[in-house]
Structure formats: C-alpha cells, structure tokens
Amino acid sequence: MALILNFILLTFLQVFLVAAQQTNGSIPVGASLNATDNNVAAWVSPSGDFAFGFKKVEGKDDFMLSIWFDKIRDKTIVWYPQDIHVVSRGSKVELTGGRGLILSDPQGRELWSSQSIANVSYGFMNDTGNFVIVDRNSSNIWESFNHPADTMLPTQVLRRGGVINSKLSETNFSKGRFQLQFLEDGNVVCKSRNIDFDFTYNTYFESSTSNRSNPLNAGSQLIFDPTGYLYILRGDGQISNLSLRNTALSPQDYYYKTTLDSDGMLTVYSHLKNPTEYTSWEDIWFVPKKFLCFLNGTQYDSRACGFNNVCNLDTDRPNCECPQGFSLLDPNDPNGDCKPDLTLSCEASESNEDIDFMAVANVNWPGSDYMQIRSVSEQECKDGCKEDCFCAVVMYNDNICWKMRLPLFNGRRGLMQMTKALVKYRKGENPPNNSPNIPQKFPRERKGHNTLIIIISTLLGCAMVVNVTLIGVICFAFFVSYRKKVKNHYPSSKFVNTNMTHFTYQELVKATEVFNEELGRGSFGIVYKGVIGKNIVAVKKLDRVIDDGEKEFEAEVNAIARTHHKNLVQLLGYCDEGEQRLLVYEYVSNGTLAHFLFGDDRPSWKQRIDIALGIAKGLSYLHEECITQVIHCDIKPQNILLDDHYNAKISDFGLAKLLKINESHTNTGIRGTKGYVAPEWFRNTPVTVKVDVYSFGVLLLEIISCRKTVKVIDQSGVEYGSILTDWAWECYQGRVLNAFVENDLEAIDDYKKLTTYVMVGLWCVQENPSLRPTMRQVIQMLEGVIKVSEPSCPFPFFVS
Ligand SMILES: *[C@@H]1O[C@H](CO)[C@@H](O)[C@H](O)[C@H]1NC(C)=O
Ligand SMILES: *[C@@H]1O[C@H](CO)[C@@H](O)[C@H](O)[C@H]1NC(C)=O
Ligand SMILES: *[C@@H]1O[C@H](CO)[C@@H](O)[C@H](O)[C@H]1NC(C)=O
Ligand SMILES: *[C@@H]1O[C@H](CO)[C@@H](O)[C@H](O)[C@H]1NC(C)=O
Ligand SMILES: *[C@@H]1O[C@H](CO)[C@@H](O)[C@H](O)[C@H]1NC(C)=O
Ligand SMILES: *[C@@H]1O[C@H](CO)[C@@H](O)[C@H](O)[C@H]1NC(C)=O
Ligand SMILES: *[C@@H]1O[C@H](CO)[C@@H](O)[C@H](O)[C@H]1NC(C)=O
Ligand SMILES: *[C@@H]1O[C@H](CO)[C@@H](O)[C@H](O)[C@H]1NC(C)=O
Ligand SMILES: *[C@@H]1O[C@H](CO)[C@@H](O)[C@H](O)[C@H]1NC(C)=O
C-alpha cells in the first residue's frame, strides 16, 4: 500500500515537474538542452505523453538523446539516433535555424545532426511521439517517425526502403542482430544481421506482400494505426493484416508500440495509461512464432542466437543458453555470442594430454561441421578430434562422427536425442568456469589457424613451382594431389575408414541397363544413371586413364573416397577390370549449376548465395581439410551439381590425376576451361591452389549476376563487356551494382551483401595469385566473419 502511494506521489511529482517545463509543445529556434543530472532536460509534448531530450543511462554517467514515454514509470525509450546514442555529461542538443537539431559533445564538437537544410521555423514534440521540424512554409522538413530506431508508434508509417533495427540487447542500443526491411518489391521481411559488417543473413519472417504479376497490388506502406493494429496497405488499396485489431484495448486507455525486439521478434505491445499500480508492457501479438530456431529444410541459417550459443526449441520466443563448456561473452546479452572455456591452440608445444570431452545432451549445430567420418567408434571420434587442433566439438551418432570448429552457428537444443555432442575441455578446468568474463572481441580462435594456413600455403607455393615451359612434363605432378601431414591436424589414416565398394563390370552393366540413360558428358567420360540396390547412382565411365595398373588406380580412388563433405559429390565405389575404369557416385538430382544459373528463370538471390557459400566450403575442404590435398583445376558451373535441396556439390575433383598426360584434353597443356583459368597458367609463375580460387572468383561473379563469363551480350545483341570480370570491376568502381545484377530487386535490397560478394569475387580474380585470398578466408568473408577490404583492379597488367 505504501508502495502504491509512493508511486502515485512520485507520478504526481513528475507530472508537476514536467508541467513546470511544459510549453505548448513548440520549440523555438535557438532552444537547447544540456545533458546534466536534471531530470527535466526535455521538451515535452502538449499532453505530456512524450518527451524529447537527454535520458540518463542507468548506472553510468552517460546520457542518451532520445524520445520516451514520459508518463510511464519505466520511461520507455521509443526513438534515438541510429548512429550515436550515448553521450557524456555536458553534451548539448540545439535546434538551429539552418540545420535543424545538432548534437554536440561538451567540447562543442558536432556528433550528430538532423541534416534538415532549410529555414527552420520551429520544432514540435507531437503527442503522437513524433518530433518534427517545421519550416517557414509550415511543412515538416524532418520527422523522427521517418528515421525509426527499433520502435513504431501508432500513426507511424514505414514506406518501401524503410528499415527498423533491433537493439543489441535490453541495455545496449547499438544496432542489433535483427533487421526489418520494407523491400522495394513490396515485401516486409525480418532478417538476422551481421553486427560487424552490417549485412543480413536469412529471412525468418516475411509478409508475402510482393506481387510479381501485378506490381500495383504489392505492399506500399506498413501502417501502425492509432488503435494499435499493424497492417500493410497495398498499392491498390487492399489491406493485409499483420496483427489483429484488438477492440478490447481502447486507445483512450492504452499506449501501444511495435518493436523489433533484441531477440528478433516483431512484437506489438500495450500498456495501461493510468495504472493504479505498477504495470509493464504486455505483448498482444508477435511473429514469428516458434520459428526462429527451427531447422527449415536446408535453411540452417536462422542465427537466432549468437556464435556458439544454443537456441531452445521449446519456447515461443528464442531463448538462448550457452552450452556446457562455453560462457556468455556479454552477460547482459543472453542471446549473444558464447566463448569457449577452452582456448584451442595449434602450437606444437601445446600438449593435448589433459584434453577430454564432456557429453552435452540434446544439442546440435547443424551445418557447422567441416568433416564427417563414417564407420568409427565414439572413442575413435574423440581421438580424431583430440589430435586435430581445429576441432572444438564432435557430434557422434551411429558410427558417424562430425567434427566442428569454432565459431559454431545455428545451435539448437532438443529434438535430436540420438546425436551426442562432445565438447573438448581441459581436465582441471572443469567444472567450466562461469564467472563473468572480460568481453573480448569475437572471434579470437582463428589466430592459430591463420598462421598455420600461411605455413601450409607457403610450403605449397615452394613445392609446386611450375614453369609454363615445363607444364607438359610437370603437369602430371601438379595434378597429383600430394599427401602432406601437419602436426595435430589431420587424423591418421587408420582413423578414416572408407566404405568403398569394388564392383565388377558386369554389375555395373546391369545397374545401368547396359549404359542406357546418359546423364551427362564431362572431360573424363560419360556419366550414366544406374540403380544399385535401392539407390540411384551415377556411373562415370572414364575414357582416359593412367595405365599404371590397378594398384595406382585403387590408391587414387581410395584417396578420393576419403573425402567426405556435404558440398562434394560422394564416391561410393569403383570398378577396374581390364581396360574398364568406372567410378560410382551418389546421384545428385537437380542437374548442374550451369543449367540452373543460365536457364530461363533467374534463381532467387537467396538460393544463389547459399550455393556460392556451399561451393566455397567444398573447395576449402579440398584445399585445406582433407587428408590428401586436392586441387580441382576445373571449377566451372558445369562441374557443380545441385541436390534436391539445391545444395551445391562439387564433382570431378581428384580426377586430374587419373588423366593420361599425353591425352590431356586441351592442346595448350593448360588444364581447365576457357574463361575460368587463372592467368598464371600462361606465365612463368608458380601454380598453386590459388588457380581454384581464381576459377571460384569467376564462378562467384557468374552466380551473382546470372551471366556467363565469356560473352556479355545484352538483349539487343550488343556486346558490352568482353568478360565478366571486367564488367564486374566497372560496375563496382562506378558504384552501379544494380546494373551488374540486372536490377534483381532481391539482390539490390541486400545491397551490403551484394557489395561484399562482388568484392570477394574481385579479390579472387586478382591476376597476382598472392593477392587472392585462401578459400578459408573467402568463406569467412562471405559469412561476414572477417572484413573485406577494397579490392584493387584485378588486372593491372592488361590494358583492355
Ligand atoms: C506555442 O506558444 C508560443 C508562445 O509561447 C507561440 O509563439 C507558438 O505559436 C505556439 N505554437 C503552437 C503550435 O501553438
Ligand atoms: C546549458 O549550459 C550552458 C553553459 O554550460 C548554459 O549557457 C545554458 O544556459 C544551458 N542551457 C540550459 C537549457 O540549461
Ligand atoms: C533562408 O531564408 C533566407 C532569407 O530569409 C534565404 O536567403 C536563404 O536562402 C534561405 N535558406 C534556405 C536554405 O532556404
Ligand atoms: C501532430 O500529430 C497530429 C496527428 O497525426 C497531426 O494532425 C498534427 O498535424 C501534428 N502536428 C504537427 C505540428 O506536426
Ligand atoms: C516555400 O514554398 C515555396 C514553394 O514550394 C518555395 O518556393 C519557397 O522557397 C519555400 N520557402 C521556404 C522558406 O522554404
Ligand atoms: C554496445 O555494444 C557495442 C557492440 O558490441 C559496443 O561497442 C558498445 O560499447 C556497447 N555499448 C554499451 C553501452 O555497452
Ligand atoms: C496479385 O494481384 C492479383 C490481382 O490483384 C491477384 O489476383 C493475385 O492473387 C495477387 N497475387 C499475389 C501473390 O498476391
Ligand atoms: C483483417 O482484420 C480485420 C479486422 O481487423 C478483419 O475483419 C479481417 O477479416 C482480417 N482479414 C484477414 C484476411 O484476416
Ligand atoms: C519453415 O518451417 C515452417 C514450420 O515448419 C513452415 O511452415 C514453413 O513453410 C517453412 N518454410 C520454408 C521456406 O521451408
């Protein structure tokens, strides 16, 4: 009772204090506010509902320039400038006649401005919560409603191109891990977002209000009406509901707000205007329900929780919790990143004697694995991870072992009781130390990595110097995927069992019904469809093979079979009988990337970027992770297959070695396909894995633009670029990437990522191989884990 009285008294006091400052809501030019401890450093709306000014940051001597609900005890913040929110004591905001609002620090340096260039007449804190700046013609030249932060208020409208960012956490107002975008095609979508590089990942909610066949019918405004009802107004006047109109809560009695919360949920809240006791905001509607954590077909990428964190599938809202062996990076951000208690190290001096594994129940990070090993025991699985300094976690189920490295993505808990997660830890450091840790910039674990990789690539560079003049002779040696062990990294061969089956020629004749159905023709022979047992397979009949005998063939085939990766076509078996050499692969149902990319319908941007990332992962595995290093030499869309979920699978890897040298399919001695081959094939420079990086770069640019590399011809038949890389560079330099993607709206709406992908493509096609990134770096750049710097001109030696 005393508490309530106290509260009422307080409220009165506040209203009174505010009233003392209150005008008619109108702010004259020249008025200013100082960030001091004074509670009434604010401009209040006529009704007193909203205030604009400095709000003290709890527990700190800092202030936030913001608009808040002034009559609510929590003083809930509804707006703040997106670029700068926290300022120190003594900062000032002023309404100027020429440039609107200017925020400056105690030294008078400008921190932010409303950038409204006009003759300002006055400012006005409206009762709707909208701060407006009015010019001499009485028109609004700036409105806080047009620059939303994480909140929409009743009467606020968001138009195409508009964006709403979540906060990072309850207490940190920096742009968070989720973003709502009103796309140009009329769709309103929510996407998870990369904090460091400001590009977005997958869409986890969409309003489905685009309309390709009738653009007039597409969404044009997202409206939060005065009764707290959120809907989309289409161009032709039709309405698409988002929330439901709730007549029980009248706007006379309730405040409303819609926020994109820091956990990614788009939520409509209500709050009683004159509570007789303390109440807080109640959600009356939110999306998406039960979706954010879900594994959706191939859509692993929801990113509801931060790196290494794990999402709970049992709750409506994403509820993340660090798994055992990890702790929160920022204790105030429970859905943010988790850091491992064990710091992995690839230093040779580091002993792994005291490394052990703890089983963590019901947790998985689908898609985070980099290596899958079949037919192993749990102990062998652990041993393999123990020996591998990149491996942080293994999943084990039914004789299959998945190795995972940091950072882990898309963690989820529940629904997979069968698979066991085993997390590496150091004995003696258990139980995991859960004391608050000093936040460190994530991720840090890669340091050891990178040095190791540099060493590997240097070794490679030296070992693989190839002279063009010698190509004919040495090419073979180059194609030979050579074996190389790095301490602690690769598992011993006994650990990797293969399930290779040896087939007789007759068996394959039968399986393919005498080579009846042709699936395709590659540089190595013809591929036929076949059925073995219940499985459909692809049987490749090699037409040119080394004649060194069966031993060599078998050894090579075994090496290929040991590569297990979801982005590589899996070899299942082989046949070598007399002259016959056949390879049996898993059947991949959706044809080649070439067919998909250059067909009649442009595939979606989302599918394209997933495919690009998949290819990068497969190549990185071939270059750096499998026991036998493999340089593919012929990366092109015809060699990428798509499975029934449109996952990319690289085919024809490891086969270069099986080719007879004197029957090499090109006359020049250059391996690869015109348009995709790296320039060092033509020069007296070393040839390394970077040849694949170059081909990948060309392929990436093709995937982005849906254009073939060699000819660039527009619809009227005019050739406007000799090769795609030139065109990409021109578009990038001229900042006209929409031309590069032919006004693909989906890609343009995702401009940050589009730019990132093009930049990565341009780095990959650098003439100088040493400037090209490794495939591992490519993945990190595509995933936004490391920053992409400005690419230089890819072809400085040529004048085209
Ligand atoms: C608010 O009051 C000031 C005088 O205090 C007056 O000049 C101004 O016109 C009023 N504005 C509005 C919008 O009523
Ligand atoms: C803000 O501080 C300056 C000097 O520090 C003072 O001149 C000015 O009157 C103050 N303004 C308000 C609104 O308190
Ligand atoms: C503001 O008004 C003055 C005259 O009153 C005029 O000369 C000036 O160009 C105006 N500035 C802008 C930005 O409209
Ligand atoms: C304040 O908001 C109301 C309701 O949207 C509007 O009618 C009025 O014009 C606004 N006042 C100003 C000065 O913008
Ligand atoms: C007022 O509007 C007219 C016509 O739109 C324009 O020419 C004039 O410059 C405006 N004046 C101010 C002060 O903005
Ligand atoms: C909010 O988070 C950002 C990004 O992690 C960080 O740079 C900033 O210091 C944090 N701000 C506060 C007030 O904690
Ligand atoms: C597109 O608009 C047409 C005509 O208004 C309508 O019949 C059709 O259902 C709409 N399609 C979608 C996907 O909304
Ligand atoms: C949209 O909401 C209105 C009331 O708010 C309701 O009458 C209408 O049936 C809803 N439409 C759909 C498609 O749910
Ligand atoms: C994702 O999963 C939800 C729930 O299972 C389902 O309704 C939706 O259609 C799925 N979306 C896609 C794109 O698969």
Side-chain angles (χ1 to χ4, degrees), residues 590-737:
N590 260 327
T592 69
L593 177 61
H595 184 259
F596 182 67
L597 217 47
F598 310 127
D600 294 338
D601 288 329
R602 174 185 284 254
S604 80
W605 170 242
K606 162 91 189 60
Q607 272 179 323
R608 273 143 60 207
I609 58 181
D610 282 354
I611 287 170
L613 196 56
I615 300 167
K617 286 179 176 170
L619 262 183
S620 169
Y621 175 89
L622 288 176
H623 289 177
E624 295 173 5
E625 286 154 15
C626 58
I627 315 147
T628 314
Q629 186 187 47
V630 177
I631 301 175
H632 190 292
C633 292
D634 199 11
I635 288 291
K636 57 179 176 180
Q638 289 76 10
N639 279 339
I640 311 293
L641 304 179
L642 300 172
D643 72 6
D644 39 3
H645 295 299
Y646 293 94
N647 287 315
K649 286 181 178 275
I650 300 172
S651 73
D652 272 4
F653 56 88
L655 291 191
K657 189 177 177 183
L658 297 176
L659 199 70
K660 281 187 201 168
I661 317 161
N662 55 0
E663 287 180 31
S664 171
H665 76 298
T666 52
N667 301 329
T668 52
I670 294 167
R671 267 289 281 125
T673 305
K674 202 180 158 221
Y676 300 89
V677 293
E680 59 264 35
W681 283 111
F682 304 99
R683 299 224 189 87
N684 191 4
T685 42
V687 172
T688 67
V689 279
K690 295 293 182 70
V691 300
D692 281 351
V693 177
Y694 183 94
S695 308
F696 174 80
V698 176
L699 183 59
L700 179 60
L701 294 173
E702 289 187 327
I703 292 173
I704 296 168
S705 63
C706 292
R707 285 179 220 242
K708 289 183 191 165
T709 176
V710 180
K711 277 185 218 154
V712 185
I713 296 173
D714 74 10
Q715 276 139 357
S716 54
V718 180
E719 196 167 317
Y720 55 92
S722 57
I723 54 170
L724 194 61
T725 45
D726 297 12
W727 176 237
W729 174 248
E730 275 170 38
C731 293
Y732 172 73
Q733 267 210 312
R735 306 280 174 233
V736 283
L737 288 183

Side-chain angles (χ1 to χ4, degrees), residues 117-119 136:
I117 313 293
N119 279 318
R136 300 244 172 93

Side-chain angles (χ1 to χ4, degrees), residues 428-443:
E429 281 177 12
N430 207 32
N433 156 18
N434 277 328
S435 60
N437 296 286
I438 300 143
Q440 248 176 311
K441 188 74 191 153
F442 200 90

Side-chain angles (χ1 to χ4, degrees), residues 61 126 315 405 531 574 646 759:
D61 202 25
N126 204 330
T315 52
R405 73 149 63 95
V531 177
Y574 68 103
Y646 293 94
M759 284 162 82

Side-chain angles (χ1 to χ4, degrees), residues 100-118:
L101 291 166
I102 294 179
L103 173 68
S104 45
D105 70 5
Q107 287 73 42
R109 286 175 297 217
E110 183 174 319
L111 299 172
W112 171 84
S113 84
S114 61
Q115 296 185 329
S116 29
I117 313 293

Side-chain angles (χ1 to χ4, degrees), residues 60 105 405 449 458 491 527 541 585 660 686 690 712 747 793:
K60 289 212 177 126
D105 70 5
R405 73 149 63 95
H449 251 185
T458 315
V527 187
K541 212 171 172 206
Y585 287 98
K660 281 187 201 168
K690 295 293 182 70
V712 185
C793 177

